[in-house]
Amino acid sequence: MCRVCGGAVHEFFDFGRQPLSDAFLDPAGVGHEYFFRLAVGICESCTMTQLIDEVARDRMFHEAYPYHSSGSVRMRRHFEETAQLLLDSHLTGDDPFIVEVGCNDGVMLKTIDKAGVRHLGVEPSGGVAELARGQGVRVRVDFFEESVASAIVAEDGPADVIYAANTMCHIPYIGSIFRGVDALLAPDGVLVFEDPYLGDILRRNTFDQIYDEHFFFFTVRSVRNAAARFGFELVDVERLPVHGGELRYTIARAGRRAPSPAVEELAAEELERGLAAPADFAGFAAGVNRIRDDLMGLLRGLRAEGKRVVGYGATAKSATVTNFCGITPELVSFVCDATPAKNGKLMPGSHIPVRSPEALADPYPDYAVLFAWNHAEEIMAKERAFHEAGGRWILYVPEVHVV
Ligand code: TMP
């Protein structure tokens, strides 16, 4: 049943039994992993694409949540620019106040703090929240929902901006979120959020955007429908080039702001492309299965030739790739990742060891699968010596290729 409108959800792809994408484990933890069925479908009435089965939030977001939003130079720059944009557009009044839902390590709010603007990050994962505090960011360790929003407004007053990056799509209980926004947002305030765009996922076959934490896959039309159900209106939309293609949505109370032409333009483009009915996803399954077959064929062939293959970027996305395709440590011997909390652990499900980026050069392998394809430019520049030494990158979206 649709988590937005209660309509019937038509399942269009089943990835089978999958582990939690960020549950990196100690070798001693093997045998005690949690698995769930990762399947995705589209609501036949409101068009929201969503997971079929939901994982309890505190299994995914907790003290030891390992992902740091500031783990890439490009994303640090993106969030500095975002903070500046919010400061210049919606935070210009007298003593403005911004709340960020899922502030992670404070990558965006630290710029807001430096500007001296009142802010609060709401972050359920205690470890990353502590990092944010270390940056001077004010944080409440909690899951944002209606009751928390009411507590914040009682303490701090209404918010001019409620912002979220790569967080809204993680939250299945969207009704409580919108009721919370209703309680907390100033009459002319805005809710701004950015998440991977279903249009880009389908265009580029980036099936690895589908994993436990990504519950919703938004489009302009599905977000516009959802906002309207709760007394809000989608008033602006902007394409973002990060994480393989995202959209930034700006939502206001219904009737308070004139929608920009961009909303209708992109909604019309979606209607033309077809992102709203089960039949529109027929090609997706074929694309995913082709990538799996091509990638496994390549990796098995390289193994038969005695080539050394490693991975780069122990991303949450890579859990779907490794477990759906069946990539084992025999095919990819380890994965390099700079995140301290992932180092020395095993990848969920596949149990491929995670090592520091220095391990890449010790000695250089013949091939590296770039699981962090969304950071390709940054990582390839950083590891130029690997390529110069004859090493080759394996990419698998939009199709399997070697560079
Ligand atoms: P993401 O695609 O969800 O942002 O995850 C990227 C992962 O790749 C994260 O675990 C950090 C890692 N990474 C590196 O190890 N080195 C790098 O240079 C970059 C950009 C990311």
Side-chain angles (χ1 to χ4, degrees), residues 33 38 49 60 80 104 125 153 161 192 212 249 251 294 380:
E33 278 176 280
L38 179 66
T49 297
M60 299 183 282
E80 262 168 41
N104 198 274
S125 305
V153 79
V161 176
V192 179
D212 55 344
Y249 306 88
I251 286 173
D294 290 353
M380 286 182 184

Side-chain angles (χ1 to χ4, degrees), residues 70-252:
S70 40
S72 114
V73 177
R74 184 175 186 217
M75 293 313 295
R76 289 202 288 276
R77 201 181 314 129
H78 170 76
F79 286 119
E80 262 168 41
E81 287 166 6
T82 301
Q84 202 52 56
L85 191 93
L86 294 173
L87 287 167
D88 295 343
S89 53
H90 301 297
L91 295 169
T92 53
D94 196 23
D95 190 25
F97 177 47
I98 175 170
V99 172
E100 181 174 5
V101 181
C103 70
N104 198 274
D105 58 10
V107 64
M108 196 287 288
L109 282 180
K110 68 181 183 192
T111 304
I112 300 284
D113 176 61
K114 277 197 202 109
V117 166
R118 270 198 311 134
H119 64 271
L120 179 69
V122 184
E123 172 54 62
S125 305
V128 289
E130 205 43 49
L131 295 175
R133 285 198 181 116
Q135 302 274 349
V137 170
R138 195 172 150 242
V139 190
R140 176 185 179 118
V141 178
D142 240 330
F143 286 95
F144 185 86
E145 57 194 331
E146 189 178 3
S147 58
V148 171
S150 301
I152 295 170
V153 79
E155 211 168 293
D156 293 306
D160 302 283
V161 176
I162 300 174
Y163 172 76
N166 307 306
T167 299
M168 275 309 173
C169 75
H170 291 59
I171 310 177
Y173 41 97
I174 197 166
S176 174
I177 296 299
F178 270 110
R179 286 191 299 275
V181 170
D182 191 26
L184 178 57
L185 200 65
D188 282 317
V190 284
L191 165 66
V192 179
F193 62 93
E194 54 196 70
D195 286 290
Y197 178 40
L198 182 65
D200 289 317
I201 294 173
L202 293 188
R203 199 192 313 269
R204 304 195 58 222
N205 273 335
T206 52
F207 67 95
D208 52 350
Q209 289 285 12
I210 301 170
Y211 54 89
D212 55 344
E213 295 172 18
H214 285 178
F215 187 83
F216 287 124
F217 302 89
F218 297 138
T219 60
V220 173
R221 297 176 71 227
S222 62
V223 168
R224 187 165 65 177
N225 284 341
R229 285 189 83 77
F230 297 100
F232 290 88
E233 191 173 4
L234 179 61
V235 295
D236 201 8
V237 68
E238 184 191 349
R239 297 190 89 116
L240 302 173
V242 296
H243 290 316
E246 299 205 322
L247 282 190
R248 176 179 288 156
Y249 306 88
T250 302
I251 286 173

Side-chain angles (χ1 to χ4, degrees), residues 22 24 65-76 166 209 211 214 243 312-318 335-340 342 354-357 370-380 382-383:
D22 269 313
F24 292 85
Y65 185 66
Y67 182 71
H68 295 181
S69 296
S70 40
S72 114
V73 177
R74 184 175 186 217
M75 293 313 295
R76 289 202 288 276
N166 307 306
Q209 289 285 12
Y211 54 89
H214 285 178
H243 290 316
Y312 206 109
T315 58
K317 294 184 285 296
S318 68
V335 177
C336 297
D337 195 289
T339 313
K342 297 181 184 179
V354 183
R355 298 177 61 184
S356 77
L370 188 52
F371 290 117
W373 49 261
N374 45 316
H375 302 292
E377 210 177 309
E378 184 172 334
I379 291 174
M380 286 182 184
K382 193 181 285 179
E383 303 293 358

Side-chain angles (χ1 to χ4, degrees), residues 5 125 141 167 181 187 189 224 289 302 320 348 360 367 389 398:
C5 75
S125 305
V141 178
T167 299
V181 170
R224 187 165 65 177
N289 289 327
L302 292 173
T320 298
L360 184 69
Y367 293 86

Side-chain angles (χ1 to χ4, degrees), residues 34-86:
Y34 177 84
F35 289 89
F36 75 111
R37 189 177 79 98
L38 179 66
V40 63
I42 181 160
C43 173
E44 289 171 3
S45 28
C46 80
T47 81
M48 184 67 85
T49 297
Q50 56 201 281
L51 296 190
I52 304 295
D53 293 348
E54 185 180 325
V55 175
R57 62 188 189 179
D58 42 10
R59 278 192 185 275
M60 299 183 282
F61 311 111
H62 44 68
E63 190 61 32
Y65 185 66
Y67 182 71
H68 295 181
S69 296
S70 40
S72 114
V73 177
R74 184 175 186 217
M75 293 313 295
R76 289 202 288 276
R77 201 181 314 129
H78 170 76
F79 286 119
E80 262 168 41
E81 287 166 6
T82 301
Q84 202 52 56
L85 191 93
L86 294 173

